[in-house]
Amino acid sequence: MSEPAAVTVTAQTVAKLARGVRLREDPVRGQTVLLAPERALALDEIAVMIVNALDGVRDLDAIAEEFSVKFEAPKEQILVDVIAFVDEFSKRRMLELKP
């Protein structure tokens, strides 16, 4: 089997959790983790907010706009950070993307 072609993550990309991936609170460690088959990844507060915003409907530009208003920060910088996060987690197969 060949690998699927890589998708370039842009402001217009729409993302959601991949099938079988769940966001859960780990009461033992007192943190939120992203659970995928045979692996878990601890997330910081900002990563949790990004994952919660990835609804499979809104594009990354809309999410960055929402965060910009909420945190009174430059949308352009937020968008760069959100794109980098989504790109990394999609490479780990924890997110599904629609270009």
Side-chain angles (χ1 to χ4, degrees):
M1 269 201 234
S2 63
E3 288 288 317
V7 175
T8 302
V9 179
T10 69
Q12 288 71 46
T13 299
V14 175
K16 66 178 183 176
L17 289 178
R19 185 174 171 202
V21 178
R22 303 284 179 257
L23 191 61
R24 294 286 182 252
E25 288 294 322
D26 182 346
V28 174
R29 293 181 182 88
Q31 59 190 154
T32 304
V33 294
L34 204 52
L35 297 176
E38 300 184 26
R39 59 190 161 153
L41 185 63
L43 301 179
D44 65 18
E45 187 178 324
I46 293 171
V48 171
M49 290 177 53
I50 294 171
V51 169
N52 282 325
L54 300 175
D55 57 12
V57 177
R58 296 179 296 159
D59 64 19
L60 302 184
D61 189 65
I63 292 168
E65 179 67 33
E66 176 189 321
F67 287 179
S68 171
V69 171
K70 184 174 184 172
F71 298 110
E72 299 178 359
K75 176 185 165 190
E76 295 76 24
Q77 181 58 50
I78 292 171
L79 183 58
V80 167
D81 294 343
V82 170
I83 287 173
F85 177 91
V86 169
D87 186 53
E88 178 62 30
F89 279 69
S90 68
K91 288 175 182 171
R92 293 179 184 204
R93 300 177 191 240
M94 296 187 126
L95 297 176
E96 293 178 4
L97 305 179
K98 291 189 248 178

